[in-house]
């Protein structure tokens, strides 16, 4: 009954929040995003946001990671530009310049969240590490900002315990590579507000992504769908039904 009540709450929120905020290029131009973590996922999220006009700051304690992130984003944006503007190289050059202009790289973790509208932590999947960073973010952020954890498996409710206003906290599960993959799971905690859900739906829409809402549950939606496939593949191999190569072919082509 508790699970059904929670799902009903999420569905009701979906209906109520779809019309609260709509796409606006002027809104994007006035909003800023902090991305904590300059790894593959953090860089991909930052690039995707910068490409559509958000003011993005990538933060990491390791300068080498920041340098690698900058180099990787420059190469990735150049590839995107060639595909998008192959008939108009000048527009492509402008697209690259505008995107890179929207990104700042910083190792100032303590003040990185100041003044930002959306703050994403995209660090290692470890509760203690995330708790420590979320406390730092929460102490520095402005009152109306939204704090987001990018996670594929950790509990949003558990992470929210270190946020003073958990109504402004939720999860986003992006998929790799972020600039290419269209889906984003919005993970709704028990205390996540309607306004926060609406803002994240607008954010993901502005990022040209398709979002789905999911209650805070182990594996969320996509991984819950994936794991049975993996288990069945192992069982087929164990039972001698088919070779691992043929099982792979069946999954790819069937």
């Amino acid at each position: 009954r508790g699970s059904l009540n929670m799902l009903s709450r999420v569905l009701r929120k979906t209906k109520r929040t779809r019309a609260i905020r709509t796409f606006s290029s002027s809104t994007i131009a006035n909003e800023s995003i902090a991305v904590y973590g300059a790894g593959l996922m953090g860089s991909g999220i930052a690039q995707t946001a910068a490409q559509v006009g958000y003011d993005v700051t990538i933060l990491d304690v390791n300068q080498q990671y920041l340098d690698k992130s900058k180099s990787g984003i420059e190469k990735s944006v150049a590839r995107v530009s060639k595909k998008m503007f192959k008939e108009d190289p000048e527009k492509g050059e402008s697209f690259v310049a505008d995107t890179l202009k929207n990104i700042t790289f910083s190792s100032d973790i303590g003040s990185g969240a100041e003044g930002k509208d959306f703050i994403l932590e995209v660090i290692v999947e470890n509760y203690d590490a995330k708790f420590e960073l979320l406390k730092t973010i929460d102490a520095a952020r402005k009152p109306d900002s939204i704090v987001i954890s990018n996670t594929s498996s950790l509990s949003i409710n558990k992470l929210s315990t270190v946020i003073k206003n958990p109504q402004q906290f939720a999860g986003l599960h992006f998929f790799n590579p972020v600039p290419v993959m269209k889906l984003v799971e919005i993970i709704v905690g028990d205390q996540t507000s309607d306004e926060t859900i609406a803002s994240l739906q607008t954010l993901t829409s502005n990022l040209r992504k398709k979002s789905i809402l999911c209650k805070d549950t182990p594996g969320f939606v996509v991984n819950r769908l994936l794991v049975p496939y993996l288990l069945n593949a192992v069982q087929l191999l164990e039972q001698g039904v088919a070779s691992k190569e043929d099982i792979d072919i069946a999954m790819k082509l069937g």
Side-chain angles (χ1 to χ4, degrees), residues 210-250:
K210 177 65 177 179
S211 66
I212 62 172
L213 291 181
C214 175
K215 60 177 288 188
D216 185 28
T217 186
F220 311 139
V221 174
V222 172
N223 285 337
R224 286 283 287 273
L225 293 172
L226 173 64
V227 169
Y229 276 104
L230 297 176
L231 292 176
N232 281 324
V234 171
Q235 290 173 350
L236 288 170
L237 184 61
E238 287 179 338
Q239 295 166 7
V241 174
S243 68
K244 63 180 183 296
E245 291 81 8
D246 284 345
I247 293 171
D248 284 345
I249 291 171

Side-chain angles (χ1 to χ4, degrees), residues 15-78:
K15 292 178 181 177
R16 291 202 304 266
T17 57
R18 288 194 188 278
I20 292 179
R21 295 180 66 183
T22 57
F23 172 82
S24 168
S25 58
S26 61
T27 298
I28 291 177
N30 292 322
E31 289 189 330
S32 57
I33 299 176
V35 178
Y36 281 81
L40 189 62
M41 292 300 292
S43 298
I45 294 169
Q47 175 188 329
T48 302
Q51 284 178 177
V52 298
Y54 282 102
D55 176 16
V56 183
T57 300
I58 302 180
L59 299 114
D60 203 293
V61 294
N62 190 317
Q63 185 61 46
Q64 289 184 331
Y65 287 171
L66 290 171
D67 293 341
K68 184 177 180 180
S69 174
K70 185 174 186 293
S71 175
I73 289 174
E74 288 173 350
K75 293 175 183 177
S76 181
V77 173

Side-chain angles (χ1 to χ4, degrees), residues 135-248:
K135 289 177 183 177
T136 299
I137 289 171
D138 204 36
R141 72 187 182 97
K142 63 180 184 177
D144 62 342
S145 63
I146 294 175
V147 183
I148 305 159
S149 177
N150 178 72
T151 177
S152 61
S153 59
L154 300 185
S155 168
I156 293 302
N157 286 329
K158 185 172 180 178
L159 291 172
S160 73
T161 59
V162 298
I163 303 295
K164 293 178 182 177
N165 293 308
Q167 298 86 355
Q168 298 167 324
F169 180 72
L172 287 183
H173 180 202
F174 287 87
F175 295 84
N176 185 48
V178 177
V180 176
M181 301 297 283
K182 294 297 183 184
L183 181 67
V184 178
E185 294 177 308
I186 300 176
I187 316 304
V188 179
D190 290 345
Q191 298 187 66
T192 306
S193 70
D194 290 354
E195 291 74 19
T196 294
I197 295 172
S199 293
L200 294 181
Q201 287 176 318
T202 298
L203 173 65
T204 52
S205 176
N206 288 349
L207 296 179
R208 311 297 193 264
K209 304 297 183 185
K210 177 65 177 179
S211 66
I212 62 172
L213 291 181
C214 175
K215 60 177 288 188
D216 185 28
T217 186
F220 311 139
V221 174
V222 172
N223 285 337
R224 286 283 287 273
L225 293 172
L226 173 64
V227 169
Y229 276 104
L230 297 176
L231 292 176
N232 281 324
V234 171
Q235 290 173 350
L236 288 170
L237 184 61
E238 287 179 338
Q239 295 166 7
V241 174
S243 68
K244 63 180 183 296
E245 291 81 8
D246 284 345
I247 293 171
D248 284 345

